[in-house]
C-alpha cells in the first residue's frame, strides 16, 4: 500500500468506508451517480468548458481564442501538478490572475467566464441524454465507477455544503466523517453523564461493572488530576477535565473500530482542543487577577532595580508569552502525533500483508507464516493503540490541569 493511500485512509473524509460487498453501487447512467463524483468526470468537465466557451462567444468576449485552442489549453492546464480534476472556473481564475497586472482582453473574458461557469452545473449535465457526445459513458466506465464507489457511504450534506471531491469541500458548511463521530461521542458522553448525575443525586451507589468503571475514572480524575495539580478552586475545573478526558478518549477509541476513524488524528481537532484549554486557563486567570493582571502574571515576580526592570521585564513577558503559546500548541500536536503514528504503522503492516498476497497470488507455504506473523503483529499493535488511547486522554487532562494551575496562580 503506497504512502499516499495510507494517509487517505486515516484523514478526514466525506464518506464512511465499509467492505464493498456491504454497500454496493449499481448505478446505470450518469444521472444516477452522486454530484461530487460526476463533477470529477472528464466528460462533465469538457462539457462545462465547451458551454462556457459558447457563452463567452455569444456574449461577444474580445480576444477569445478559437474553441479548439481554448479546450486544449484547459486540458494542458489540468495535467499540470495540482490541477487534476479542477473545473473550468478554476482555470479561468488562474488565467485572470496571470493577466491581472497586464489587463486587456484575456483578463476581461476570463472574469466573464468565471461569472457564467456556475450556470453549467452537474444538475444541468444530468439532464442531458445518455447518447450526448460528452455523456456517452461506456458500460466499462460505469462499471469502473460503480466499483470505485462501492463500499463508500457518502455523508448527506443537508446544510448546503458543496464538495470538491470526497476529501475536500468546495464551499459552504460540509459535514465530514470526523464531525459525525465527534457528534456521536458527545451524545454518548451526555447520556452517560446525565444518567450518572441522576444516580448520584438520588444517593445511589455505583452498581454493575459499567457504573463502577465510570466511577473509578471520575474519582481518579477529580482526586489525582484536578485536586493534585490545581491548588486553588480545583472543583470548579473538574467538569472541564472530565469532559476533555472522556471526549478525547471516545474519539481515540473510535479510531480502533473498523471502518471508522479517530478525529484526534486531525490537527484541526487537536489544535482546537488546545485552544480551548488556552482560553479556559486565561479566562480563569482573568477572573482571578483581572483582564490586565492575567497578562502581567506571566512575568515571574522579581525584585529588580527600576532601570533593569524596564529592560528585563518586557523581555521576560515576550518569552513567557511565546512559551505559553508554544506549550499549548505542543499540547495539540502531541495528541495528534501519537494517534496518527499508531494508525500509520498499523496500516503499513496490513498493507505489507496485502502486498505479499498480491505478489504471491494464493498464499504459498512460504507466504503463510509471514502473513501470520503480520496479523499477530497487527493485533498486538492494536492492543498497544488501545493503551495509547487511554494514556493520551489522561496526559491531555493532566497537562490541562497543570496549565490551568499555572495561569490561575501568582508566580
Amino acid at each position: 500500500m503506497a504512502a499516499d493511500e495510507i494517509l487517505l485512509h486515516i484523514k478526514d473524509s466525506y464518506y464512511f468506508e465499509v467492505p464493498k460487498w456491504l454497500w454496493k453501487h449499481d448505478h446505470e447512467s450518469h444521472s444516477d451517480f452522486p454530484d461530487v463524483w460526476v463533477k470529477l468526470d472528464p466528460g462533465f468537465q469538457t462539457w462545462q468548458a465547451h458551454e462556457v466557451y459558447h457563452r463567452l462567444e455569444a456574449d461577444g468576449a474580445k480576444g477569445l481564442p478559437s474553441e479548439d485552442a481554448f479546450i486544449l489549453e484547459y486540458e494542458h492546464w489540468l495535467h499540470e501538478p495540482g490541477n487534476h480534476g479542477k473545473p473550468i472556473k478554476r482555470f479561468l481564475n488562474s488565467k485572470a490572475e496571470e493577466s491581472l497586472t497586464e489587463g486587456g482582453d484575456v483578463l476581461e473574458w476570463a472574469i466573464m467566464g468565471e461569472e457564467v461557469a456556475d450556470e453549467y452545473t452537474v444538475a444541468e449535465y444530468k439532464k442531458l441524454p445518455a447518447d450526448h457526445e460528452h455523456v456517452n459513458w461506456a458500460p466499462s466506465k460505469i462499471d469502473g465507477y460503480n466499483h470505485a464507489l462501492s463500499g463508500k457511504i457518502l455523508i448527506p450534506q443537508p446544510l448546503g455544503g458543496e464538495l470538491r471531491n470526497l476529501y475536500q469541500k468546495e464551499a459552504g458548511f460540509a459535514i465530514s466523517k470526523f464531525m459525525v463521530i465527534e457528534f456521536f461521542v458527545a451524545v454518548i458522553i451526555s447520556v452517560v453523564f446525565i444518567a450518572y448525575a441522576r444516580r448520584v443525586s438520588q444517593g445511589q451507589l455505583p452498581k454493575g461493572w459499567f457504573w463502577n468503571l465510570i466511577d473509578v475514572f471520575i474519582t481518579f480524575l477529580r482526586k489525582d488530576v484536578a485536586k493534585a495539580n490545581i491548588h486553588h478552586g480545583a472543583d470548579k475545573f473538574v467538569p472541564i477535565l472530565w469532559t476533555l478526558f472522556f471526549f478525547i478518549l471516545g474519539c481515540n477509541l473510535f479510531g480502533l473500530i473498523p471502518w471508522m476513524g479517530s478525529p484526534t488524528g486531525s490537527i484541526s481537532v487537536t489544535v482546537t482542543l488546545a485552544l480551548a484549554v488556552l482560553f479556559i486557563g486565561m479566562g480563569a486567570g482573568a477572573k482571578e487577577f483581572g483582564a490586565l493582571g492575567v497578562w502581567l502574571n506571566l512575568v515571574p515576580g522579581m525584585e529588580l532595580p527600576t532601570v533593569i526592570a524596564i529592560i528585563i521585564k518586557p523581555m521576560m513577558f515576550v518569552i513567557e508569552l511565546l512559551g505559553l503559546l508554544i506549550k499549548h500548541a505542543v499540547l495539540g500536536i502531541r495528541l495528534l502525533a501519537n494517534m496518527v503514528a499508531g494508525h500509520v504503522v498499523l496500516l503499513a503492516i496490513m498493507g505489507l500483508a496485502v502486498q505479499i498476497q498480491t505478489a504471491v497470488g494464493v498464499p504459498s507455504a512460504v507466504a503463510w507464516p509471514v502473513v501470520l506473523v503480520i496479523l499477530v503483529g497487527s493485533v498486538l499493535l492494536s492492543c498497544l493503540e488501545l493503551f495509547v488511547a487511554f494514556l493520551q486522554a489522561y496526559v491531555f487532562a493532566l497537562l490541562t490541569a497543570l496549565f490551568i494551575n499555572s495561569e490561575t496562580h501568582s508566580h
Side-chain angles (χ1 to χ4, degrees):
M1 185 179 291
D4 56 345
E5 293 176 336
I6 290 175
L7 292 176
L8 285 178
H9 279 79
I10 63 175
K11 70 180 294 188
D12 199 4
S13 62
Y14 295 98
Y15 68 92
F16 284 89
E17 188 161 16
V18 298
K20 290 183 178 294
W21 58 266
L22 194 60
W23 193 269
K24 294 193 66 175
H25 287 268
D26 296 311
H27 302 308
E28 297 180 355
S29 71
H30 69 290
S31 60
D32 299 330
F33 284 89
D35 288 0
V36 64
W37 197 263
V38 175
K39 188 184 297 183
L40 298 173
D41 179 68
F44 166 74
Q45 293 178 348
T46 303
W47 167 81
Q48 191 181 46
H50 278 285
E51 293 301 314
V52 169
Y53 181 88
H54 295 157
R55 177 67 177 274
L56 291 174
E57 191 176 39
D59 291 346
K62 297 180 181 179
L64 194 65
S66 68
E67 186 172 359
D68 290 341
F70 178 83
I71 299 299
L72 183 63
E73 186 176 0
Y74 172 53
E75 291 177 347
H76 177 74
W77 179 82
L78 286 175
H79 287 86
E80 293 179 0
N83 292 337
H84 175 72
K86 290 185 177 179
I88 187 66
K89 184 176 180 178
R90 292 189 173 273
F91 166 71
L92 293 168
N93 179 260
S94 68
K95 292 288 292 183
E97 289 179 353
E98 290 175 6
S99 308
L100 191 60
T101 55
E102 301 174 4
D105 295 337
V106 174
L107 178 61
E108 181 181 346
W109 63 254
I111 293 176
M112 289 174 59
E114 280 189 80
E115 294 173 353
V116 303
D118 291 333
E119 298 179 19
Y120 303 101
T121 61
V122 172
E124 295 297 321
Y125 180 75
K126 285 185 173 182
K127 294 177 183 178
L128 298 175
D131 59 352
H132 190 279
E133 60 176 324
H134 297 303
V135 184
N136 191 16
W137 290 13
S140 59
K141 179 178 183 177
I142 294 177
D143 290 343
Y145 281 179
N146 278 324
H147 179 75
L149 276 172
S150 291
K152 292 179 173 61
I153 304 175
L154 302 188
I155 299 171
Q157 302 298 333
L159 302 179
E162 185 180 347
L163 304 183
R164 182 185 305 174
N165 53 50
L166 297 181
Y167 296 94
Q168 296 174 299
K169 74 172 184 177
E170 185 70 37
F173 182 82
I175 301 173
S176 70
K177 177 174 69 174
F178 286 171
M179 291 180 186
V180 175
I181 293 173
E182 289 173 283
F183 174 77
F184 274 105
V185 170
V187 169
I188 293 170
I189 291 174
S190 299
V191 170
V192 171
F193 267 83
I194 290 172
Y196 180 83
R198 286 176 178 172
R199 294 174 69 92
V200 171
S201 63
Q202 295 171 2
Q204 298 181 21
L205 295 175
K207 292 182 180 180
W209 69 269
F210 179 76
W211 293 114
N212 275 286
L213 180 64
I214 295 297
D215 191 67
V216 166
F217 280 112
I218 286 177
T219 305
F220 172 77
L221 289 170
R222 182 173 183 270
K223 179 181 178 182
D224 295 318
V225 175
K227 287 185 173 294
N229 296 287
I230 301 177
H231 302 145
H232 177 65
D235 285 332
K236 296 185 298 182
F237 302 102
V238 169
I240 294 171
L241 297 178
W242 282 347
T243 303
L244 284 173
F245 174 83
F246 284 106
F247 180 77
I248 293 171
L249 177 62
C251 291
N252 291 350
L253 292 178
F254 259 92
L256 297 175
I257 301 175
W259 314 308
M260 289 295 173
S262 176
T264 45
S266 169
I267 192 169
S268 60
V269 175
T270 58
V271 168
T272 300
L273 290 171
L275 283 174
V277 173
L278 174 63
F279 291 146
I280 290 168
M282 295 303 289
K287 189 175 180 180
E288 187 76 21
F289 304 112
L292 180 61
V294 66
W295 299 103
L296 296 177
N297 187 53
L298 293 176
V299 181
M302 297 178 290
E303 296 183 2
L304 297 173
T306 304
V307 177
I308 299 177
I310 293 174
I311 300 174
I312 297 297
K313 287 197 172 183
M315 294 174 59
M316 289 294 295
F317 174 78
V318 172
I319 293 172
E320 292 295 333
L321 179 61
L322 288 175
L324 176 71
L325 298 176
I326 290 171
K327 71 182 183 182
H328 282 85
V330 171
L331 179 66
I333 293 173
R334 177 191 289 108
L335 177 60
L336 169 73
N338 279 280
M339 298 314 301
V340 170
H343 295 324
V344 170
V345 173
L346 183 60
L347 284 167
I349 292 175
M350 293 302 296
L352 181 59
V354 173
Q355 290 292 338
I356 290 174
Q357 185 177 6
T358 302
V360 178
V362 178
S364 64
V366 177
W368 268 117
V370 177
V371 172
L372 183 62
V373 169
I374 291 173
L375 290 176
V376 171
S378 298
V379 171
L380 294 176
L381 185 60
S382 296
C383 294
L384 178 61
E385 279 204 89
L386 180 62
F387 169 73
V388 170
F390 282 87
L391 177 64
Q392 290 306 313
Y394 162 72
V395 169
F396 197 98
L398 176 64
L399 291 176
T400 298
L402 291 173
F403 293 169
I404 290 174
N405 180 69
S406 175
E407 290 150 13
T408 55
H409 285 75
S410 180
H411 296 290

